[in-house]
Amino acid sequence: MPLKYALVHEWLTPEATGGSELVVQEILNHIEANLYALIDFESSNSDSYLYKRQIGTTFLQHLPYARNGVQKYLPLLPLAIEQLDLRQYDVILSSSHAVAKGILTTPDQLHICYCHTPMRYAWDLTFDYLRESNLGQGLAGWVTRYLLHRLRQWDVLSANRVDYFIANSQHTARRIWRCYRREATVIYPPVNVDNLPFLPEKADFYLTVSRLVSYKQVSLIVKAFNQLQLPLVIIGTGSEMPKIREIANSNIQILGWQPDDVVKKYMARAKAFVYAACEDFGIALVEAQACGTPVIAYGAGGALETVRDLRSYMDTATGIFFKTQTEAAVMEAVEKFEIYQNSFNPEYMRSHASQFSSQVFAERYLKFIDQCYKQKISGK
């Protein structure tokens, strides 16, 4: 009998279109699985590949304002994910950056988790969450801190429900070990290299594409380019949009949200792609290289695995790192790029990006599932 698969993701909404959602889409391209999520507003979205698909959800689907951000119900997320009854399936595949890995399984089931990151609210971004939610002070602050403490406890406990972890980078694999003391196999997420335009000739502007939230550090890039007085295009939207509009000088063009075809055109034409966040992987960095566009990035996290820094690879460089998240460091890296911009080979960047292609992901992911299932049935 063919195996029955279930695929569990956190939330499916038109606003959630990042790297983790691309992984979900790629998995569904190769595995016939029933899809589950805390909330789903994509199956009713006529522009989505999930339009009219049957998707299992939780009680959070019916709570007020869930569509605009189920994270506001953060204390309820563990309870909600545990209400999904998946006993009918042989293999559970979770795509997790918060609670999807916490589903309940039986001893006879195989659970493989593709972990994009351990839950940031509970770990790395705890203090950012307290500050931005205005819940860090007084009685509300202590209640929130206690809830985050309990959330960390649940997060570690639920990691024991996973049979095998996959990490999206070596950086994430180290964080999985630090948080859960679990080993993880690295399989880089899929980048649709073949669908990205390649353009060796560049226009005279820099580009950043990102959600406009604090940890993405877009305001840092804006402040640096205010001083550099070089043309910068920003694509993206988020809670920091008003702040960024307020501080940006006339050399900075803010386009807000743009459809994929527009993003691709800008990415292919930009003289360099600038990024200041510490990402677990950073698909946008690989997409830029696939377009033949060099990267100027903060030298931490997944960028260290996807970008070849000019200081170390003079002949095969794909970008320049800056070492600290400061205006001065960004400015120094951009000024260095202005001097050495002709040292970058667009054809090599495209070739370098191909190792992160969708085809490579599919081959490694499917092979890993097969190996895990064979180990499961052999009792090893």
Side-chain angles (χ1 to χ4, degrees):
M1 294 290 293
L3 297 176
K4 296 181 67 176
Y5 290 88
L7 174 58
V8 185
H9 189 56
E10 265 87 19
W11 46 79
L12 299 166
T13 71
E15 289 75 28
T17 57
S20 60
E21 286 73 34
L22 293 177
V23 169
V24 168
Q25 184 173 358
E26 190 63 31
I27 292 172
L28 292 175
N29 285 340
H30 301 280
I31 297 176
E32 186 175 339
N34 289 337
L35 186 57
Y36 293 84
L38 293 169
I39 60 170
D40 157 46
F41 293 97
E42 278 288 82
S43 61
S44 58
N45 175 15
S46 59
D47 295 326
S48 173
Y49 74 100
L50 295 173
Y51 184 52
K52 293 187 176 180
R53 186 183 183 113
Q54 190 72 27
I55 298 174
T57 59
T58 70
F59 65 85
L60 295 176
Q61 179 78 18
H62 309 291
L63 295 185
Y65 311 112
R67 180 189 183 106
N68 297 324
V70 74
Q71 299 95 319
K72 62 175 63 71
Y73 296 112
L74 187 61
L76 297 179
L77 302 191
L79 174 64
I81 204 70
E82 290 178 346
Q83 304 315 303
L84 292 174
D85 184 357
L86 306 181
R87 290 174 295 174
Q88 61 181 299
Y89 300 100
D90 302 299
V91 180
I92 311 298
L93 306 173
S94 58
S95 164
S96 184
H97 54 76
V99 299
K101 71 174 185 356
I103 48 165
L104 301 179
T105 58
T106 70
D108 296 326
Q109 292 176 303
L110 174 66
H111 180 187
I112 301 173
C113 173
Y114 191 101
C115 184
H116 307 278
T117 174
M119 195 187 322
R120 286 190 174 275
Y121 314 109
W123 301 98
D124 302 59
L125 298 183
T126 291
F127 299 105
D128 296 276
Y129 177 77
L130 288 169
R131 184 180 65 253
E132 293 178 10
S133 63
N134 295 318
L135 294 174
Q137 304 296 322
L139 178 62
W142 285 110
V143 171
T144 304
R145 283 177 166 83
Y146 175 73
L147 291 173
L148 290 171
H149 168 70
R150 294 301 302 269
L151 193 59
R152 280 188 288 275
Q153 291 179 321
W154 178 89
D155 196 36
V156 174
L157 175 67
S158 64
N160 293 321
R161 302 172 189 171
V162 177
D163 294 305
Y164 298 93
F165 272 102
I166 300 172
N168 63 357
S169 67
Q170 297 291 347
H171 174 70
T172 298
R174 290 190 293 270
R175 294 183 63 234
I176 290 171
W177 174 257
R178 175 166 56 85
C179 296
Y180 308 143
R181 288 299 187 260
R182 294 289 304 275
E183 299 284 353
T185 297
V186 175
I187 299 177
Y188 292 117
V191 180
N192 203 339
V193 174
D194 293 338
N195 283 352
L196 291 165
F198 175 71
L199 191 64
E201 299 299 324
K202 303 300 180 181
D204 187 25
F205 69 88
Y206 292 85
L207 173 71
T208 188
V209 180
S210 172
R211 285 186 292 120
L212 304 184
V213 294
S214 61
Y215 89 91
K216 294 290 188 177
Q217 299 284 350
V218 177
S219 60
L220 174 66
I221 299 173
V222 170
K223 292 174 183 177
F225 273 81
N226 280 344
Q227 298 185 63
L228 289 165
Q229 285 298 298
L230 293 171
L232 171 70
V233 174
I234 299 174
I235 296 179
T237 188
S239 59
E240 288 220 324
M241 175 69 87
K243 173 184 176 181
I244 289 170
R245 287 194 184 279
E246 182 180 350
I247 65 175
N249 288 346
S250 58
N251 59 301
I252 298 173
Q253 185 179 9
I254 303 170
L255 301 184
W257 178 90
Q258 295 294 323
D260 284 347
D261 59 336
V262 174
V263 175
K264 290 175 183 177
K265 289 177 182 177
Y266 273 93
M267 195 169 279
R269 294 176 56 238
K271 65 191 301 184
F273 184 83
V274 188
Y275 210 74
C278 177
E279 290 287 4
D280 299 298
F281 176 72
I283 282 183
L285 303 180
V286 179
E287 290 176 334
Q289 293 171 78
C291 294
T293 301
V295 171
I296 301 172
Y298 176 44
L304 296 174
E305 301 170 49
T306 61
V307 180
R308 296 170 70 90
D309 183 39
L310 183 66
R311 297 174 182 84
S312 303
Y313 303 95
M314 285 296 296
D315 297 327
T316 56
T318 64
I320 294 177
F321 288 141
F322 50 92
K323 295 182 179 180
T324 60
Q325 290 172 308
T326 62
E327 295 172 43
V330 174
M331 292 171 64
E332 181 184 356
V334 173
E335 288 167 347
K336 184 170 184 177
F337 176 81
E338 287 282 320
I339 297 171
Y340 292 101
Q341 59 184 294
N342 293 328
S343 301
F344 297 94
N345 184 327
E347 286 78 12
Y348 177 79
M349 283 185 275
R350 178 79 168 193
S351 174
H352 174 70
S354 65
Q355 66 182 298
F356 306 102
S357 69
S358 300
Q359 294 88 339
V360 173
F361 168 83
E363 290 171 6
R364 293 199 62 198
Y365 185 76
L366 295 173
K367 181 180 179 181
F368 185 79
I369 292 174
D370 184 58
Q371 290 173 341
C372 292
Y373 187 74
K374 288 178 179 178
Q375 290 177 8
K376 177 78 173 178
I377 61 177
S378 68
K380 294 183 180 179

